[in-house]
Amino acid sequence: MNEPERPVAQSAVGRGAAPTPQTGRNTFGARNHRAAPRVRLVDVAREAGLSKTTISAALNGTGRMSDEARAHARDTAWRMGYRPNVTARLLRAGHTRLIGIAVREYIAEPWVYLELPYFTQLAHAGARAALDHGHALVLLPNHAPREEWTDLPLDAVCVIDPMIDDPLVDHLLSAGTPVVTDRRVEGRRGGYWVETDYGTAVREVLDHLAEQGARDIALVAAGSDTRYTRNALLAQADWSVRRGIRTRVETVSAPGHAPTLEVVGRLLGDAGERPDAMIVLTEVSPLLVLDAARRLGCRVPDDLLVVSASEDGVAAHTDPAVTTLSMQPALIAEAGIHLLVEVLDLGITESRGVEVPTRLDIRASSLRAR
């Protein structure tokens, strides 16, 4: 007589549930397979009928052998699934081919800088440029203890928009880690720089608005003390004195859309004190800036001329299309990675840098009808 079939216990569904012994599956249904044994160099040598030394030389592109022998060794290794331990080999050579990148503006608290198009484009272009030269880009948080930075196995670090008093650059250079950042490191051993002439860019925008009849221009700027913010505000103050046109500055205390829109709302909330032009130097969606102006009964460009320092492609498709000042982050990233690759791969050690041009795309939001 057959014994009744026992019910199979149901596996728990939830975070961290263990695989059930009846099915050998985890909570997401994937089978637990025993990992295949790693193919060793000696296994490839035995299969190819060559010595281990010959196989190693063939895979590394060294040694003296015929083209046929080298191709045979490589084909055998590939067919068998042999992959050299690249990490171990690089560590033995004293480098990892890893380049770190982090944004150091607003370092008091963690924030997600990849939410903003400027930093997204910067990171994407940097990763692509690094990979083209056999390096990998490692995204680092904006906020971390000093020891975590200097202990990471990185060949070099890109430090984006550091605060004037941020000690991280000094710590990295003292540890012998090459750094690409702003011009503060010019002339220092291991220091390389990429900058835009932000002061000239701001003067270009102010000249454009003045040509359109603006006589009371507000700048929305970051409340952080970085070189680019300092250069922008120095240029604004000098321009205002020389041209005799009123400019005023409102600062944003934190990164992200909400803090910037709060400042925009404060500027436009009092109809009697509204500026007739506004330059938003912090990264925010141009569409949100237009929406904030409309909600406060302010027509763009009739009542208010608007220029946004933004890399958001939506600016060209809003109504009206928004004039943008671009820092060209892809060019900045490519220039920075190129400097570091020359240091890491070619051994060039002299401190030097690159200045990347800005781009002003004039659209309807800053053009007043004649």
Side-chain angles (χ1 to χ4, degrees):
M1 184 174 180
N2 294 331
E3 292 184 2
E5 185 175 341
R6 295 183 180 182
V8 178
Q10 297 295 316
S11 62
V13 177
R15 193 175 299 224
T20 62
Q22 290 84 1
T23 64
R25 293 175 180 267
N26 60 22
T27 57
F28 299 100
R31 291 189 178 277
N32 292 321
H33 290 293
R34 191 182 297 271
R38 183 179 180 87
V39 177
R40 302 169 300 166
L41 196 65
V42 67
D43 299 323
V44 178
R46 186 182 301 113
E47 178 71 15
L50 299 170
S51 70
K52 181 179 174 182
T53 302
T54 300
I55 295 293
S56 178
L59 297 180
N60 290 323
T62 60
R64 299 179 62 183
M65 67 190 73
S66 67
D67 292 341
E68 292 77 8
R70 193 180 300 277
H72 174 57
R74 290 177 172 175
D75 290 344
T76 303
W78 183 262
R79 174 170 50 82
M80 294 181 67
Y82 173 77
R83 300 293 182 270
N85 190 329
V86 177
T87 301
R89 186 173 66 194
L90 291 173
L91 288 174
R92 285 195 298 271
H95 53 83
T96 62
R97 303 193 75 81
L98 299 178
I99 299 173
I101 180 172
V103 175
R104 294 292 287 174
E105 187 179 24
Y106 298 108
I107 58 176
E109 298 291 338
W111 62 284
V112 185
Y113 52 85
L114 288 183
E115 289 182 345
L116 303 180
Y118 174 84
F119 298 115
T120 301
Q121 293 181 29
L122 192 80
H124 179 266
R128 185 181 62 244
L131 194 59
D132 286 344
H133 294 281
H135 297 263
L137 203 64
V138 179
L139 291 179
L140 303 171
N142 71 298
H143 178 81
R146 180 179 67 194
E147 294 76 11
E148 290 187 16
W149 292 89
T150 53
D151 288 346
L152 289 173
L154 302 172
D155 289 341
V157 179
C158 303
V159 182
I160 310 301
D161 297 339
M163 305 285 281
I164 294 295
D165 59 353
D166 185 357
L168 176 63
V169 172
D170 291 334
H171 293 321
L172 290 169
L173 292 177
S174 297
T177 303
V179 173
V180 62
T181 185
D182 59 31
R183 204 161 189 159
R184 76 182 65 193
V185 298
E186 185 173 12
R188 298 183 61 182
R189 181 176 178 81
Y192 308 90
W193 57 269
V194 179
E195 277 200 359
T196 59
D197 188 348
Y198 212 54
T200 298
V202 168
R203 283 189 288 270
E204 182 183 5
V205 174
L206 290 168
D207 284 341
H208 164 65
L209 293 175
E211 289 170 2
Q212 297 300 308
R215 292 297 178 266
D216 183 1
I217 306 172
L219 277 76
V220 179
S224 57
D225 191 13
T226 59
R227 275 181 58 90
Y228 82 89
T229 298
R230 279 192 181 184
N231 291 342
L233 297 186
L234 286 172
Q236 161 262 327
D238 176 71
W239 182 92
S240 185
V241 171
R242 286 190 300 103
R243 296 293 299 269
I245 296 176
R246 182 189 184 193
T247 60
R248 39 179 158 150
V249 177
E250 291 285 342
T251 58
V252 178
S253 60
H257 298 296
T260 295
L261 293 173
E262 181 182 347
V263 171
V264 170
R266 190 162 64 242
L267 278 168
L268 304 181
D270 185 351
E273 287 294 323
R274 281 178 182 168
D276 58 10
M278 183 169 61
I279 309 170
V280 183
L281 295 178
T282 56
E283 181 85 16
V284 67
S285 169
L287 183 61
L288 295 179
V289 174
L290 291 181
D291 181 64
R294 288 192 186 104
R295 284 188 289 103
L296 292 168
C298 190
R299 298 171 300 165
V300 177
D302 298 334
D303 302 325
L304 179 73
L305 302 175
V306 172
V307 177
S308 180
S310 175
E311 309 301 330
D312 193 338
V314 74
H317 307 286
T318 54
D319 183 20
V322 176
T323 295
T324 54
L325 175 63
S326 171
M327 297 298 106
Q328 306 211 80
L331 296 183
I332 291 175
E334 290 164 2
I337 293 298
H338 180 72
L339 288 171
L340 291 179
V341 166
E342 288 188 334
V343 173
L344 300 175
D345 294 355
L346 303 181
I348 299 175
T349 58
E350 61 178 307
S351 177
R352 62 199 192 289
V354 177
E355 191 168 281
V356 174
T358 59
R359 188 185 71 243
L360 179 61
D361 294 317
I362 297 175
R363 303 187 180 100
S365 71
S366 65
L367 294 174
R368 188 157 286 156
R370 298 294 183 182

